[in-house]
Amino acid sequence: MDEHPALLLMGPAAALVGAAFLSALLILLLKPLLIRYALARPNARSSHKIPTPQGGGIAVLGASLLMSILFFRIGESTQLLVLGTAALGLAFVGAVDDIRPLPPLLRLLLQTIAVTAVILVSGVRILPNWVPLQAEQTFLVLGGVWFVNLVNFMDGLDWITVAEMVPITAFIALLPLLVPLPTSWTIMAAVVCGALLGFAPFNRPVARLFLGDVGSLPIGLLVGWMLLELAGTGALVAAILLPLYYLMDATITLFRRLAKGERVWEAHRSHFYQRATDNGFSVMSVVAHVFVLNLALAALAAVTLVWPSSVVQGAALLAGFGLVGLVLRRFSHSRMTAPVEVSR
């Protein structure tokens, strides 16, 4: 690259700081309304013990989109315009669902429409050319809908979404130091990262505010789009490694529940991170494990970009599966016998 590294980071750094400040400001302004109209009350499957306002995702998404508009004119790009509209659509679906749960099929249909719109305008191909375009797009839509949902499913513990998504988005924002990428990617990654950092103090265990579906669904869409675009550059292994903990925890849990004949669309407490708190891990211990694991996965992803040989790709992927497997195994075993207070 011809540009000095400091110059490459100036735009994303400014976007991150601005989004963090705006997200925190919006939360302070919105919190009285959320306390009044959007309390999440604990139930048998909840990790939190007292009613806690949800809807922090309004500030996270709002800060992300507003800062994106400041840094580039979304209307000039059909792809970014569709992405922003789809994210807002999912935020609306999540907001309604937070207040009065939607029927599962309607919710899934609306999610599919949003993901399909993003896939159709992206033009990204990650499978071999001999795979028909329509078949690949169908596969990508199914994968996108699953990713949006798994981000939502995994948002069940204080700070866990921050611990997962901040390393991913920060990595993508820093990618110009390794490979040339469009500005839209790095700025979008930086603003989502910053908005989550602005939200983090309010979600710190024990949380005073939750994201809610209004936040987790569009965050899943935005991060899923970033990973899809990354995979489209040929960095498929890196795009798999970055969210690998969420992918493995949510997917293994889904198949286990299917095997037991459970209603997979209903709330539950059988994810590995939930079982960890039941097994004696504190909330801070769980999120620390997830955060450190994600730093290790990001390092492996960086290795695959610097040394793109098939041997390195395969070794990094195997190492990533191994590291996630170790954490999932650790979460599955009891750490102590004394009860531990959990939140969210």
Side-chain angles (χ1 to χ4, degrees):
M1 289 202 168
D2 296 330
E3 291 185 81
H4 191 278
L7 295 177
L8 293 172
L9 295 180
M10 284 180 62
L16 186 150
V17 172
F21 175 80
L22 184 56
S23 176
L25 178 62
L26 288 173
I27 287 173
L28 291 174
L29 293 174
L30 290 170
K31 195 174 178 183
L33 291 175
L34 298 177
I35 291 173
R36 184 172 182 179
Y37 297 109
L39 278 181
R41 302 188 182 279
N43 55 46
R45 295 182 177 90
S46 300
S47 294
H48 64 288
K49 303 301 182 184
I50 60 174
T52 304
Q54 58 186 344
I58 297 172
V60 172
L61 180 63
S64 298
L65 295 182
L66 288 172
M67 289 303 299
S68 298
I69 293 172
L70 287 178
F71 276 82
F72 46 79
R73 285 180 264 182
I74 281 184
E76 292 182 354
S77 168
T78 301
Q79 184 180 25
L80 292 176
L81 181 61
V82 171
L83 177 67
T85 303
L88 286 171
L90 284 185
F92 177 77
V93 172
V96 173
D97 204 49
D98 282 334
I99 298 170
R100 179 174 295 181
L102 295 170
L105 287 179
L106 175 60
R107 178 184 167 108
L108 185 63
L109 174 62
L110 295 173
Q111 292 170 351
T112 302
I113 292 171
V115 171
T116 300
V118 173
I119 296 298
L120 290 179
V121 300
S122 71
V124 169
R125 299 210 65 175
I126 63 173
L127 299 180
N129 290 332
W130 53 263
V131 177
L133 176 61
Q134 188 173 10
E136 180 172 3
Q137 288 179 333
T138 300
F139 168 77
L140 292 176
V141 168
L142 292 174
V145 171
W146 174 231
F147 190 80
V148 166
N149 277 281
L150 73 85
V151 171
N152 175 240
F153 296 156
M154 296 293 289
D155 182 42
L157 200 70
D158 300 344
W159 259 8
I160 194 167
T161 297
V162 174
E164 176 71 14
M165 294 303 172
V166 165
I168 293 175
T169 51
F171 179 88
I172 295 174
L174 292 170
L175 270 181
L177 297 177
L178 297 176
V179 292
L181 285 179
T183 303
S184 57
W185 296 16
T186 55
I187 295 298
M188 186 65 75
V191 296
V192 173
C193 183
L196 283 169
L197 290 174
F199 163 75
F202 303 92
N203 191 238
R204 182 182 184 277
V206 174
R208 293 170 290 151
L209 180 67
F210 300 152
L211 269 178
D213 290 5
V214 67
S216 60
L217 293 177
I219 287 172
L221 181 70
L222 293 174
V223 175
W225 168 76
M226 297 173 203
L227 294 171
L228 173 64
E229 294 291 333
L230 178 61
T233 67
L236 178 60
V237 172
I240 293 172
L241 282 168
L242 289 171
L244 191 57
Y245 168 68
Y246 262 30
L247 289 173
M248 288 182 64
D249 189 323
T251 304
I252 292 171
T253 300
L254 173 69
F255 282 114
R256 280 182 170 177
R257 298 189 70 208
L258 285 172
K260 293 178 181 178
E262 298 179 10
R263 297 181 177 182
V264 296
W265 56 87
E266 292 183 350
H268 61 95
R269 281 191 51 79
S270 51
H271 283 290
F272 285 88
Y273 72 88
Q274 293 169 320
R275 291 160 60 191
T277 59
D278 294 338
N279 286 333
F281 285 80
S282 69
V283 173
M284 289 299 294
S285 177
V286 172
V287 297
H289 275 75
V290 172
F291 183 73
V292 173
L293 172 61
N294 277 290
L295 293 180
L297 293 174
L300 289 172
V303 168
T304 66
L305 295 175
V306 176
W307 294 285
S309 73
S310 58
V311 173
V312 171
Q313 304 280 311
L317 195 57
L318 286 175
F321 277 109
L323 289 173
V324 177
L326 287 174
V327 171
L328 296 182
R329 180 177 175 81
R330 184 169 174 79
F331 283 173
S332 299
H333 291 79
S334 179
R335 189 176 187 183
M336 59 184 71
T337 56
V340 173
E341 182 182 354
V342 298
S343 57
R344 181 63 176 98

